Amino acid sequence: MTNGSGSLTIEDILRINSFSTFYGTQFDVSDRLGMVAISARKPLESASVFSVPFLDGNERGVMRRINIRDQTELQFNLDDGVGAFSPRWSLNCEQLAFCITNGEWVRLAVGDPNTGDVRTVSDREIWLRPGMSPVAWLDQQTIICELLEPGTKSVGVVSETASARAVLSDWPDAWKGARATAGLVRTLQGDRGFPVGTLATVDVRSGEVREHLDITTAPAGVAAFGCREREIPFEPERSLEDDAQTGELIADGVYGESRILCRSGENGTFVILNTGGGGDVVVYRADEFLINRGPFSNEIVEFGGNGSAKDRYILIEQCDGNERKPVVLSIYPGYLVREDRTRFRNINNISSLNPYLLASMGFAIVRPEVDLSEVPAGGVASQIEVAVSRCVENLVEHRNIDGSNVHVLGHSLGGWAALLMATRTNLFRSVIACSAPTNLISLHGEIDVRSRYGDDFTYMSSLYESVFKLSGPPWRQLDTYVEHSPLFGVDAMNIPALLVHGDLDYVPISQAEEFMSAMEYSGKDARLLRLAGEGHVLANPHNMRAFVACVGDWLSEHHS
């Protein structure tokens, strides 16, 4: 199975421009000036730094001001290695506020929409909260935000590499006998918590910061910002019957009945002024090379049940005349087709797990819906097995799929589910598990590797109990932990496994090593692609290339 002329490749993924979704919308519209501000992340291939996941690639953010009337563009001037995100026009539209970051700090800045000049407003760092816009305007000269204490950095920015930096200093000194490298860590220290921001207003002229410690006495605009709710940016305006093209509403009622939409699909990414009967005006375009990839089909399949009780899955494949394709079932527990928050269906997804990469290798890619919203504690494994089995059964009976050539793949919780299904069913030819928990007993007691060499450990037990719907620690419900741990099903597993893991992953690489050891002991085929310096999500383009090549070779080898 080789890539054809219309195939999507990892080099294409590295060329894609993209929009962050972590910290509110990356668009803001000025009706008064007829301007739209856009932050789009540089393609990975041209990035000078690669961020921690917490920043969502915003250190690559390029801030633009586009005139809707004549489509002229101005790019704001940023230092090398600095990106900008989350733009907000001032009330008089004469300034643009946004966050800037180099991957090590996050600060408040304002830009001049006429010259593109940018200046930092405060040296104190912005407190970022996922799902929330970090800045707003109180009046024409005052910005509302949440600031960390002077000299304090956001834990999400520094945590990914802090432990590695510490050990890079300690190990050589220990080998040389240069100094004591001992460190004492205690239990029962209470919840040390993480640095949190203080609600504040900043005067953009003087840089003066005024903190608002009591939200009940703060100005109404400040209080409203402090009580803001999490946003769902880019809510897709599409129904289940729509194809892969999305119309994501940015602004409504611009120039009367007009709307501004972001559309992403096989033709590229566009920001469009939709004037109703007057047609569409493109104000920003990128990734038009995607029009030469494919064509791909992208279908939502519903079967069984009635109404909302129906089972669903997404089916993606390249339209190449081959109707009976092998399958890669890409699983993630809790995934809902109607929401598709991960943008699984979008071809311009910049992940190395982009399903169109595998479709270009000749596979049909299937993402089943696995609803865990009403699953009781301890019932996750059974629910996943039911949903996956129904999906594969429907594929074989109704979609002309080669049932002898179905592989299962997953990342993180999906990797765990893929291994679990490989030990509980005979549906698959091979399994690919990335960043996967394998032994929930040992996982419960693990320390977050990112805090291992710091002054305090970060214990992950409460997080894992919540994620896997476990009602307590393993010493109080051992059977449930065993049932939900793929490691203890190795004897029943009859297919080979490819494990992929970064050694700085907060799901520790020892989870993959334990599974490898069990497969070795049982005389079964398993391989581990170990990614030095990578965390839970691949960031280094060279490693993304290596991963895609490894997965392609694996599937070719295990395809009959």
Side-chain angles (χ1 to χ4, degrees), residues 183-259:
L184 182 65
V185 182
R186 299 177 182 272
T187 63
L188 305 178
Q189 295 300 297
D191 183 8
R192 64 185 177 90
F194 298 115
V196 297
T198 299
L199 192 61
T201 50
V202 183
D203 188 306
V204 298
R205 294 163 296 191
S206 65
E208 179 184 357
V209 174
R210 181 183 177 189
E211 296 185 351
H212 299 272
L213 302 178
D214 185 354
I215 198 170
T216 63
T217 61
V222 175
F225 181 82
C227 296
R228 69 198 186 283
E229 297 181 351
R230 292 173 63 90
E231 301 176 14
I232 302 176
F234 303 160
E235 182 68 16
E237 286 195 325
R238 65 179 179 209
S239 66
L240 289 175
E241 290 71 35
D242 289 339
D243 61 16
Q245 286 285 102
T246 62
E248 297 166 336
L249 185 64
I250 298 170
D252 203 0
V254 181
Y255 304 134
E257 300 299 319
S258 299
R259 304 182 303 167

Side-chain angles (χ1 to χ4, degrees), residues 176-494:
K176 291 185 256 183
R179 61 180 175 88
T181 55
L184 182 65
V185 182
R186 299 177 182 272
T187 63
L188 305 178
Q189 295 300 297
D191 183 8
R192 64 185 177 90
F194 298 115
V196 297
T198 299
L199 192 61
T201 50
V202 183
D203 188 306
V204 298
R205 294 163 296 191
S206 65
E208 179 184 357
V209 174
R210 181 183 177 189
E211 296 185 351
H212 299 272
L213 302 178
D214 185 354
I215 198 170
T216 63
T217 61
V222 175
F225 181 82
C227 296
R228 69 198 186 283
E229 297 181 351
R230 292 173 63 90
E231 301 176 14
I232 302 176
F234 303 160
E235 182 68 16
E237 286 195 325
R238 65 179 179 209
S239 66
L240 289 175
E241 290 71 35
D242 289 339
D243 61 16
Q245 286 285 102
T246 62
E248 297 166 336
L249 185 64
I250 298 170
D252 203 0
V254 181
Y255 304 134
E257 300 299 319
S258 299
R259 304 182 303 167
I260 296 182
L261 305 173
C262 176
R263 288 182 177 157
S264 299
E266 293 184 9
N267 296 327
T269 298
F270 305 90
V271 175
I272 296 169
L273 178 67
N274 178 262
T275 58
D280 293 341
V281 177
V282 177
V283 298
Y284 171 83
R285 66 184 72 216
D287 309 327
E288 291 180 274
F289 67 88
L290 291 174
I291 198 171
N292 297 316
R293 305 298 181 264
F296 299 98
S297 65
N298 181 321
E299 182 182 0
I300 292 176
V301 179
E302 290 188 325
F303 64 98
N306 295 299
S308 61
K310 285 180 176 293
D311 292 309
R312 301 179 183 86
Y313 59 84
I314 292 173
L315 176 61
I316 296 172
E317 55 187 326
Q318 190 165 20
C319 303
D320 54 8
N322 179 11
E323 296 183 357
R324 190 169 174 80
K325 291 183 170 69
V327 174
V328 173
L329 188 141
S330 174
I331 186 172
Y332 195 89
Y335 176 82
L336 300 178
V337 168
R338 287 182 179 274
E339 295 182 359
D340 194 21
R341 301 287 184 228
T342 61
R343 283 170 173 65
F344 182 80
R345 298 176 64 195
N346 285 18
I347 193 173
N348 62 342
N349 183 337
I350 61 172
S351 168
S352 52
L353 288 166
N354 185 314
Y356 296 88
L357 289 172
L358 297 176
S360 294
M361 298 178 189
F363 290 86
I365 315 305
V366 174
R367 169 60 66 90
E369 182 168 276
V370 184
D371 188 355
L372 301 180
S373 59
E374 298 182 4
V375 175
V380 173
S382 298
Q383 178 71 7
I384 295 171
E385 184 175 353
V386 168
V388 168
S389 298
R390 286 177 179 170
C391 176
V392 174
E393 180 182 345
N394 180 269
L395 283 167
V396 172
E397 290 186 3
H398 301 289
R399 306 300 299 188
N400 195 29
I401 291 297
D402 183 357
S404 66
N405 277 298
V406 181
H407 307 261
V408 61
L409 172 150
H411 173 264
S412 188
L413 189 61
W416 163 78
L419 288 173
L420 198 66
M421 293 303 98
T423 64
R424 294 170 67 111
T425 72
N426 293 310
L427 298 173
F428 306 110
R429 191 170 189 86
S430 80
V431 55
I432 302 169
C434 311
S435 300
T438 65
N439 179 359
L440 301 194
I441 297 174
S442 61
L443 184 68
H444 187 277
E446 285 283 358
I447 302 301
D448 187 342
V449 66
R450 298 171 297 181
S451 72
R452 177 163 290 146
Y453 299 100
D455 295 331
D456 296 284
F457 288 158
T458 298
Y459 298 96
M460 305 291 281
S461 51
S462 296
L463 172 64
Y464 293 137
E465 287 179 18
S466 173
V467 167
F468 295 101
K469 291 183 179 282
L470 300 166
S471 56
W475 55 89
R476 294 177 184 163
Q477 45 179 320
L478 186 60
D479 290 346
T480 302
Y481 274 75
V482 170
E483 179 188 359
H484 284 74
S485 297
L487 180 73
F488 298 103
V490 163
D491 280 343
M493 185 169 155
N494 299 310

Side-chain angles (χ1 to χ4, degrees), residues 30 32-33 35-37 63-67 72-76 89-90 92-98 110-118:
S30 164
R32 179 173 173 269
L33 297 179
M35 302 284 188
V36 57
M63 190 66 66
R64 296 176 172 88
R65 184 273 292 153
I66 299 173
N67 188 311
T72 55
E73 175 184 311
L74 178 143
Q75 185 170 307
F76 287 87
W89 288 106
S90 62
N92 60 7
C93 300
E94 293 180 358
Q95 300 179 89
L96 187 70
F98 43 83
V110 293
D112 185 327
N114 297 309
T115 66
D117 292 338
V118 175

